[in-house]
Amino acid sequence: MTDAQMPLTVCFQDDALVVVDKPCGMLVHRSGIDAHETTFLLQTLRDQLNQSLFPVHRLDKPTSGLVIFALSSDVARTLSQAFEHGDITKTYEAFVRGHTPQSLYIVHALRDEVDSKGRKIKNGTAREAMTELRTLTSWTVPEPVDRYPEARYSQVQLQPLTGRYRQLRRHAKHISHPILGDVRYGKGTHNRFIEERLGIRRLWLHARQVTFRHPLTDEALSISSAIPADFRQMTAWLESVSSG
């Protein structure tokens, strides 16, 4: 059975909303960027739950992790407004190239790359963008990669303080610590090195936690997903080969 055929993991569900753990490589819904795709999180979860769903935000196709769906248009509107106002906190984990600072605020404006329908545009408007980075662990792998005698990697926690298109991936590139496995903004030599050692090809970015107030009850919710199996495999490999 393929990943696409496996039941999706629901991390929270009540009469107002559902939070699901999206596999990497799956689109949330139809997009002009990937017009050839036929499998979508929205439809798959709708079929699994046999219930109407209303999307309130997106997650990049190669990114795994938590996605919130509303079960009514009214709740969808409330949650969408909460996202727009920055009232929903999303926390991601990622593996990146290099040894990152212990903590860092990334403040760097990003130009729009797509329009509201997901169509690519050129010379889009530059918009303020902020991301908070915290380093969890760093490793040095004593093997030559690219022109360096050793490879350095870090596992980081990323929290977007604004919601720009591909913000985390673009901010990671901006500070010269691109997310591993990122074929657009990353470094091909390191992506290939990791893929060859682990036999896994993916963007190493996972939406781990969402925190917000329930749109109907105002209860504070903090919902987390499990650490993906391939993330655990990456950590185990880095621990086994690291020179400290």
Side-chain angles (χ1 to χ4, degrees):
M1 182 176 286
T2 66
D3 289 344
Q5 295 171 316
M6 293 288 288
L8 296 166
T9 299
V10 173
C11 299
F12 177 88
Q13 182 179 3
D14 66 5
D15 293 337
L17 59 97
V18 58
V19 183
V20 63
D21 198 349
K22 184 185 85 69
C24 65
M26 180 181 281
L27 282 172
V28 172
H29 48 67
R30 293 184 186 276
S31 167
I33 299 175
D34 289 278
H36 63 284
E37 288 290 344
T38 58
T39 302
F40 309 97
L41 182 69
L42 175 61
Q43 188 61 54
T44 302
L45 184 61
R46 181 183 292 161
D47 293 345
Q48 181 175 316
L49 300 180
N50 193 28
Q51 189 161 9
S52 295
L53 300 172
F54 299 80
V56 296
H57 69 116
R58 291 183 290 186
L59 203 61
D60 285 353
K61 176 182 175 181
T63 305
S64 59
L66 298 177
V67 179
I68 306 170
F69 289 99
L71 301 185
S72 71
S73 58
D74 287 342
V75 170
R77 190 177 306 110
T78 300
L79 287 171
S80 295
Q81 290 172 349
F83 268 109
E84 291 173 7
H85 297 153
D87 295 332
I88 297 180
T89 301
K90 295 188 292 182
T91 304
Y92 295 73
E93 289 189 14
F95 290 98
V96 302
R97 187 189 71 179
H99 286 176
T100 48
Q102 191 60 40
S103 61
L104 178 69
Y105 276 95
I106 307 167
V107 181
H108 175 67
L110 297 171
R111 290 193 175 277
D112 295 337
E113 291 190 353
V114 297
D115 63 17
S116 61
K117 296 183 179 180
R119 297 174 299 198
K120 294 181 180 179
I121 57 176
K122 291 184 178 180
N123 301 318
T125 302
R127 303 183 191 276
E128 178 186 56
M130 295 178 290
T131 299
E132 183 177 359
L133 177 149
R134 185 169 69 88
T135 299
L136 302 176
T137 317
S138 293
W139 299 271
T140 299
V141 178
E143 293 190 53
V145 180
D146 207 350
R147 62 183 186 273
Y148 299 102
E150 59 188 19
R152 295 181 175 186
Y153 301 114
S154 297
Q155 184 176 11
V156 299
Q157 186 180 87
L158 297 167
Q159 194 174 98
L161 305 180
T162 50
R164 308 306 176 207
Y165 179 71
R166 293 178 176 169
Q167 176 174 315
L168 299 183
R169 297 165 61 184
R170 295 162 74 187
H171 268 179
K173 176 186 177 182
H174 173 69
I175 63 170
S176 300
H177 294 290
I179 297 171
L180 297 177
D182 194 333
V183 298
R184 182 177 179 86
Y185 304 104
K187 187 75 171 177
T189 50
H190 287 272
N191 294 346
R192 289 188 292 273
F193 175 73
I194 296 296
E195 184 178 347
E196 289 168 0
R197 296 301 184 275
L198 289 178
I200 298 171
R201 184 177 188 181
R202 67 157 294 168
L203 174 68
W204 293 93
L205 178 63
H206 179 72
R208 182 77 195 283
Q209 185 179 61
V210 289
T211 303
F212 58 100
R213 303 201 75 86
H214 193 282
L216 299 183
T217 67
D218 203 39
E219 176 189 2
L221 297 176
S222 184
I223 301 162
S224 299
S225 71
I227 298 174
D230 48 17
F231 266 57
R232 295 196 301 270
Q233 186 173 341
M234 170 76 102
T235 300
W237 175 72
L238 287 168
E239 292 288 354
S240 69
V241 299
S242 175
S243 61

Coordinates of all heavy atoms in Angstrom, one line a residue, residues 53-113:
L53 N -15.4 19.7 3.8 CA -14.3 20.4 4.5 C -14.1 21.8 3.8 O -14.3 21.9 2.6 CB -13.0 19.6 4.4 CG -13.0 18.2 5.0 CD1 -11.8 17.4 4.6 CD2 -13.2 18.3 6.5
F54 N -13.6 22.7 4.5 CA -13.3 24.1 4.0 C -11.9 24.4 4.4 O -11.5 24.6 5.5 CB -14.3 25.1 4.6 CG -15.7 24.8 4.3 CD1 -16.4 23.8 5.1 CD2 -16.4 25.5 3.3 CE1 -17.7 23.6 4.8 CE2 -17.7 25.2 3.0 CZ -18.4 24.3 3.8
P55 N -11.0 24.6 3.3 CA -9.6 24.9 3.6 C -9.4 26.3 4.1 O -10.2 27.2 3.7 CB -8.9 24.7 2.2 CG -10.0 24.9 1.3 CD -11.3 24.4 1.9
V56 N -8.5 26.5 5.1 CA -8.3 27.9 5.6 C -6.8 28.3 5.4 O -6.5 29.5 5.6 CB -8.7 27.9 7.1 CG1 -10.1 27.7 7.3 CG2 -7.9 26.9 7.9
H57 N -5.9 27.4 5.1 CA -4.5 27.8 4.8 C -3.9 26.7 4.0 O -4.5 25.6 3.8 CB -3.7 28.0 6.1 CG -3.5 26.8 6.9 ND1 -2.2 26.3 7.2 CD2 -4.3 25.9 7.5 CE1 -2.3 25.2 7.9 NE2 -3.6 25.0 8.1
R58 N -2.7 26.9 3.5 CA -2.0 26.0 2.7 C -0.6 25.5 3.3 O -0.1 26.2 4.2 CB -1.7 26.5 1.3 CG -3.0 26.7 0.5 CD -2.7 27.3 -0.9 NE -2.2 28.6 -0.9 CZ -2.0 29.4 -2.0 NH1 -2.2 28.9 -3.2 NH2 -1.6 30.6 -1.9
L59 N -0.1 24.4 2.8 CA 1.2 24.0 3.2 C 1.8 23.5 1.8 O 1.2 22.9 1.0 CB 1.1 22.8 4.1 CG 2.3 22.5 5.1 CD1 2.6 23.7 6.0 CD2 2.0 21.2 5.9
D60 N 3.1 23.9 1.6 CA 3.7 23.5 0.4 C 3.6 22.0 0.1 O 3.7 21.2 1.1 CB 5.2 23.9 0.4 CG 5.5 25.4 0.3 OD1 4.5 26.1 0.0 OD2 6.6 25.8 0.4
K61 N 3.6 21.7 -1.1 CA 3.5 20.3 -1.5 C 4.6 19.4 -0.9 O 4.3 18.4 -0.3 CB 3.5 20.2 -3.1 CG 3.6 18.7 -3.6 CD 3.7 18.7 -5.1 CE 3.8 17.3 -5.7 NZ 4.0 17.4 -7.2
P62 N 5.9 19.8 -0.9 CA 6.9 19.0 -0.4 C 7.0 19.0 1.2 O 7.8 18.3 1.7 CB 8.2 19.5 -1.0 CG 7.9 20.9 -1.3 CD 6.5 21.0 -1.6
T63 N 6.3 19.9 1.8 CA 6.4 20.1 3.3 C 5.3 19.1 3.9 O 4.2 19.0 3.4 CB 6.0 21.5 3.7 OG1 6.9 22.4 3.0 CG2 6.2 21.7 5.2
S64 N 5.7 18.5 5.0 CA 4.8 17.6 5.7 C 4.3 18.3 6.9 O 4.9 19.4 7.4 CB 5.5 16.3 6.1 OG 6.6 16.6 6.9
G65 N 3.2 17.8 7.5 CA 2.8 18.4 8.8 C 1.4 18.8 8.9 O 0.6 18.5 8.0
L66 N 1.1 19.6 9.9 CA -0.3 19.9 10.3 C -1.0 20.9 9.4 O -0.4 22.0 9.0 CB -0.3 20.5 11.7 CG 0.2 19.5 12.8 CD1 0.2 20.2 14.1 CD2 -0.6 18.2 12.8
V67 N -2.2 20.6 9.0 CA -3.1 21.5 8.2 C -4.4 21.5 8.9 O -5.0 20.4 9.2 CB -3.2 21.0 6.7 CG1 -4.1 21.9 5.9 CG2 -1.8 20.9 6.1
I68 N -5.0 22.7 9.0 CA -6.3 22.9 9.6 C -7.4 23.0 8.5 O -7.2 23.8 7.6 CB -6.3 24.1 10.5 CG1 -5.2 24.1 11.5 CG2 -7.7 24.3 11.2 CD1 -5.0 25.4 12.2
F69 N -8.5 22.3 8.7 CA -9.7 22.4 7.9 C -10.8 22.8 8.7 O -11.0 22.2 9.8 CB -10.0 21.1 7.1 CG -9.0 20.8 6.0 CD1 -8.0 19.9 6.2 CD2 -9.1 21.4 4.7 CE1 -7.1 19.6 5.2 CE2 -8.2 21.1 3.7 CZ -7.2 20.2 3.9
A70 N -11.7 23.6 8.3 CA -13.0 23.9 9.0 C -14.0 23.0 8.5 O -14.0 22.5 7.3 CB -13.4 25.4 8.7
L71 N -15.1 22.8 9.3 CA -16.2 21.9 8.9 C -17.4 22.8 8.5 O -18.5 22.2 8.2 CB -16.5 21.0 10.0 CG -15.4 20.1 10.5 CD1 -15.9 19.1 11.6 CD2 -14.8 19.3 9.3
S72 N -17.3 24.1 8.5 CA -18.3 25.0 8.0 C -17.7 26.2 7.4 O -16.6 26.6 7.7 CB -19.3 25.3 9.1 OG -18.7 26.2 10.0
S73 N -18.5 26.9 6.6 CA -17.9 28.1 6.0 C -17.7 29.2 7.0 O -16.8 30.0 6.9 CB -18.9 28.6 4.9 OG -20.2 28.8 5.4
D74 N -18.6 29.3 8.0 CA -18.4 30.3 9.1 C -17.2 30.1 9.9 O -16.4 31.1 10.1 CB -19.6 30.3 10.0 CG -20.9 30.8 9.4 OD1 -20.8 31.5 8.4 OD2 -22.0 30.5 9.9
V75 N -16.9 28.9 10.2 CA -15.6 28.6 11.0 C -14.4 28.8 10.1 O -13.4 29.4 10.5 CB -15.6 27.1 11.5 CG1 -14.3 26.7 12.0 CG2 -16.7 27.0 12.6
A76 N -14.5 28.5 8.8 CA -13.4 28.8 7.9 C -13.1 30.2 7.8 O -12.0 30.7 7.8 CB -13.8 28.2 6.5
R77 N -14.2 31.1 7.8 CA -14.0 32.5 7.7 C -13.3 33.0 9.0 O -12.3 33.8 8.9 CB -15.3 33.2 7.6 CG -15.3 34.7 7.3 CD -16.6 35.3 7.1 NE -17.4 34.6 6.0 CZ -18.4 33.8 6.3 NH1 -18.9 33.6 7.5 NH2 -19.0 33.2 5.3
T78 N -13.7 32.5 10.2 CA -13.1 32.9 11.4 C -11.6 32.5 11.5 O -10.8 33.3 11.9 CB -13.9 32.3 12.6 OG1 -15.2 32.7 12.6 CG2 -13.2 32.7 13.9
L79 N -11.3 31.3 11.1 CA -10.0 30.8 11.1 C -9.1 31.5 10.1 O -7.9 31.8 10.4 CB -9.9 29.3 10.9 CG -10.4 28.4 12.0 CD1 -10.5 26.9 11.5 CD2 -9.5 28.5 13.2
S80 N -9.6 31.8 8.9 CA -8.9 32.6 7.9 C -8.5 33.9 8.4 O -7.4 34.4 8.2 CB -9.7 32.7 6.6 OG -9.9 31.4 6.0
Q81 N -9.4 34.6 9.1 CA -9.1 35.9 9.7 C -8.1 35.8 10.8 O -7.2 36.7 10.9 CB -10.4 36.5 10.3 CG -11.4 36.9 9.2 CD -12.8 37.3 9.7 OE1 -13.1 37.1 10.9 NE2 -13.6 37.9 8.9
A82 N -8.1 34.7 11.6 CA -7.1 34.5 12.6 C -5.7 34.3 12.0 O -4.7 34.9 12.5 CB -7.5 33.3 13.5
F83 N -5.6 33.6 10.9 CA -4.4 33.5 10.2 C -3.9 34.9 9.7 O -2.7 35.3 9.9 CB -4.5 32.6 9.0 CG -4.1 31.1 9.3 CD1 -5.1 30.2 9.4 CD2 -2.8 30.8 9.6 CE1 -4.8 28.9 9.7 CE2 -2.5 29.4 9.9 CZ -3.5 28.5 9.9
E84 N -4.8 35.7 9.1 CA -4.4 37.0 8.6 C -4.0 37.9 9.7 O -3.1 38.7 9.5 CB -5.7 37.6 7.9 CG -6.0 36.9 6.6 CD -7.3 37.4 6.0 OE1 -7.9 38.4 6.5 OE2 -7.8 36.8 5.0
H85 N -4.5 37.8 10.9 CA -4.2 38.7 12.0 C -3.0 38.1 12.8 O -2.6 38.8 13.8 CB -5.4 38.8 12.9 CG -6.5 39.5 12.3 ND1 -7.8 39.3 12.6 CD2 -6.6 40.4 11.2 CE1 -8.6 40.1 11.9 NE2 -7.9 40.7 11.0
G86 N -2.4 37.0 12.4 CA -1.3 36.4 13.2 C -1.7 35.8 14.5 O -0.8 35.6 15.4
D87 N -2.9 35.4 14.6 CA -3.4 34.8 15.9 C -3.2 33.3 15.9 O -3.6 32.7 16.9 CB -4.9 35.1 16.1 CG -5.1 36.6 16.3 OD1 -4.2 37.3 16.8 OD2 -6.2 37.1 15.9
I88 N -2.7 32.7 14.9 CA -2.5 31.3 14.8 C -1.0 31.1 14.7 O -0.3 31.6 13.8 CB -3.2 30.5 13.7 CG1 -4.7 30.6 13.9 CG2 -2.8 29.1 13.6 CD1 -5.5 30.0 12.8
T89 N -0.4 30.4 15.7 CA 1.1 30.2 15.7 C 1.4 28.8 15.1 O 0.9 27.8 15.6 CB 1.6 30.3 17.2 OG1 1.3 31.6 17.7 CG2 3.1 30.1 17.2
K90 N 2.3 28.8 14.1 CA 2.8 27.6 13.5 C 4.2 27.4 13.8 O 5.0 28.3 13.7 CB 2.5 27.6 12.0 CG 1.0 27.6 11.6 CD 0.9 27.4 10.2 CE 1.4 28.6 9.4 NZ 1.2 28.5 7.9
T91 N 4.6 26.2 14.3 CA 6.0 25.9 14.6 C 6.4 24.7 13.7 O 5.8 23.7 13.7 CB 6.2 25.5 16.1 OG1 5.7 26.6 16.9 CG2 7.6 25.3 16.4
Y92 N 7.6 24.9 13.1 CA 8.1 23.9 12.1 C 9.4 23.4 12.7 O 10.1 24.1 13.4 CB 8.3 24.5 10.8 CG 7.1 25.0 10.0 CD1 6.4 26.1 10.4 CD2 6.7 24.3 8.9 CE1 5.3 26.6 9.7 CE2 5.6 24.7 8.2 CZ 4.9 25.9 8.6 OH 3.8 26.3 7.9
E93 N 9.8 22.2 12.2 CA 11.1 21.7 12.4 C 11.8 21.4 11.1 O 11.1 21.0 10.1 CB 11.2 20.4 13.3 CG 10.8 20.7 14.8 CD 11.0 19.6 15.7 OE1 11.7 18.6 15.3 OE2 10.6 19.6 16.8
A94 N 13.1 21.6 11.0 CA 13.8 21.4 9.7 C 15.2 21.0 9.9 O 15.8 21.3 11.0 CB 13.7 22.7 8.9
F95 N 15.8 20.4 8.9 CA 17.2 20.2 8.9 C 17.8 21.1 7.8 O 17.3 21.2 6.7 CB 17.5 18.7 8.5 CG 17.2 17.7 9.6 CD1 16.0 17.0 9.5 CD2 18.0 17.5 10.6 CE1 15.7 16.1 10.5 CE2 17.7 16.6 11.6 CZ 16.5 15.9 11.6
V96 N 18.8 21.8 8.2 CA 19.4 22.8 7.3 C 20.9 22.6 7.1 O 21.5 21.9 7.9 CB 19.1 24.3 7.8 CG1 17.6 24.5 7.9 CG2 19.8 24.5 9.1
R97 N 21.5 23.2 6.1 CA 22.9 23.2 5.9 C 23.6 24.1 6.9 O 23.1 25.2 7.1 CB 23.2 23.6 4.5 CG 24.7 23.4 4.1 CD 25.0 24.0 2.7 NE 24.9 25.4 2.8 CZ 25.2 26.2 1.7 NH1 25.4 25.7 0.6 NH2 25.2 27.5 1.9
G98 N 24.7 23.7 7.4 CA 25.5 24.6 8.2 C 25.2 24.6 9.7 O 24.2 24.0 10.1
H99 N 26.0 25.2 10.5 CA 25.8 25.4 11.9 C 25.1 26.7 12.1 O 25.7 27.8 11.9 CB 27.1 25.3 12.7 CG 27.6 24.0 12.8 ND1 28.8 23.7 13.4 CD2 27.1 22.8 12.4 CE1 29.1 22.4 13.4 NE2 28.1 21.8 12.8
T100 N 23.8 26.7 12.5 CA 23.0 27.9 12.7 C 23.3 28.6 14.0 O 23.7 27.9 15.0 CB 21.6 27.6 12.5 OG1 21.2 26.5 13.3 CG2 21.2 27.3 11.1
P101 N 23.0 29.9 14.2 CA 23.1 30.5 15.5 C 22.1 29.9 16.5 O 21.1 29.3 16.0 CB 22.7 32.0 15.2 CG 22.9 32.2 13.7 CD 22.6 30.8 13.1
Q102 N 22.3 30.1 17.7 CA 21.4 29.5 18.7 C 20.0 30.0 18.6 O 19.0 29.3 18.7 CB 22.0 29.8 20.2 CG 21.2 29.0 21.3 CD 21.4 27.5 21.1 OE1 22.4 27.0 20.7 NE2 20.3 26.8 21.3
S103 N 19.9 31.3 18.3 CA 18.6 31.9 18.0 C 18.8 33.1 17.1 O 19.9 33.7 17.0 CB 17.9 32.4 19.3 OG 18.7 33.4 19.9
L104 N 17.8 33.4 16.3 CA 17.9 34.4 15.2 C 16.6 34.9 14.8 O 15.7 34.0 14.6 CB 18.7 33.8 14.0 CG 18.9 34.8 12.8 CD1 19.9 35.9 13.2 CD2 19.5 34.0 11.7
Y105 N 16.4 36.2 14.6 CA 15.2 36.7 14.0 C 15.6 37.1 12.6 O 16.5 37.9 12.4 CB 14.7 38.0 14.7 CG 13.8 37.7 15.9 CD1 14.3 37.6 17.2 CD2 12.4 37.4 15.7 CE1 13.5 37.3 18.2 CE2 11.6 37.1 16.7 CZ 12.1 37.1 18.0 OH 11.3 36.8 19.1
I106 N 14.9 36.5 11.6 CA 15.2 36.8 10.2 C 14.1 37.8 9.7 O 12.9 37.5 9.7 CB 15.1 35.5 9.3 CG1 16.0 34.4 9.9 CG2 15.5 35.8 7.9 CD1 15.8 33.1 9.3
V107 N 14.6 39.0 9.4 CA 13.7 40.1 8.9 C 14.2 40.4 7.5 O 15.2 41.0 7.3 CB 13.8 41.3 9.8 CG1 12.8 42.4 9.3 CG2 13.4 41.0 11.2
H108 N 13.4 39.9 6.5 CA 13.8 40.1 5.1 C 12.5 40.1 4.2 O 11.8 39.1 4.2 CB 14.7 39.0 4.7 CG 15.1 39.0 3.3 ND1 15.9 40.0 2.7 CD2 14.8 38.1 2.3 CE1 16.1 39.7 1.4 NE2 15.4 38.6 1.1
A109 N 12.3 41.2 3.6 CA 11.1 41.3 2.7 C 11.1 40.3 1.6 O 12.2 40.0 1.0 CB 10.9 42.7 2.2
L110 N 10.0 39.7 1.2 CA 9.9 38.7 0.1 C 8.9 39.2 -1.0 O 7.8 39.6 -0.6 CB 9.5 37.4 0.7 CG 10.4 36.7 1.7 CD1 9.7 35.5 2.3 CD2 11.7 36.3 1.1
R111 N 9.4 39.1 -2.2 CA 8.5 39.4 -3.3 C 7.5 38.3 -3.6 O 7.8 37.1 -3.5 CB 9.3 39.7 -4.6 CG 10.1 41.0 -4.5 CD 10.6 41.4 -5.9 NE 11.3 42.7 -5.8 CZ 10.7 43.9 -5.8 NH1 9.4 43.9 -6.0 NH2 11.4 45.0 -5.7
D112 N 6.2 38.7 -3.9 CA 5.2 37.7 -4.3 C 5.7 37.0 -5.5 O 6.2 37.5 -6.5 CB 3.9 38.4 -4.7 CG 3.3 39.2 -3.5 OD1 3.6 38.8 -2.4 OD2 2.5 40.1 -3.8
E113 N 5.6 35.6 -5.5 CA 6.0 34.8 -6.6 C 4.8 34.2 -7.3 O 5.0 33.7 -8.5 CB 6.9 33.7 -6.1 CG 8.3 34.1 -5.6 CD 9.3 33.0 -5.4 OE1 8.8 31.8 -5.4 OE2 10.4 33.3 -5.1

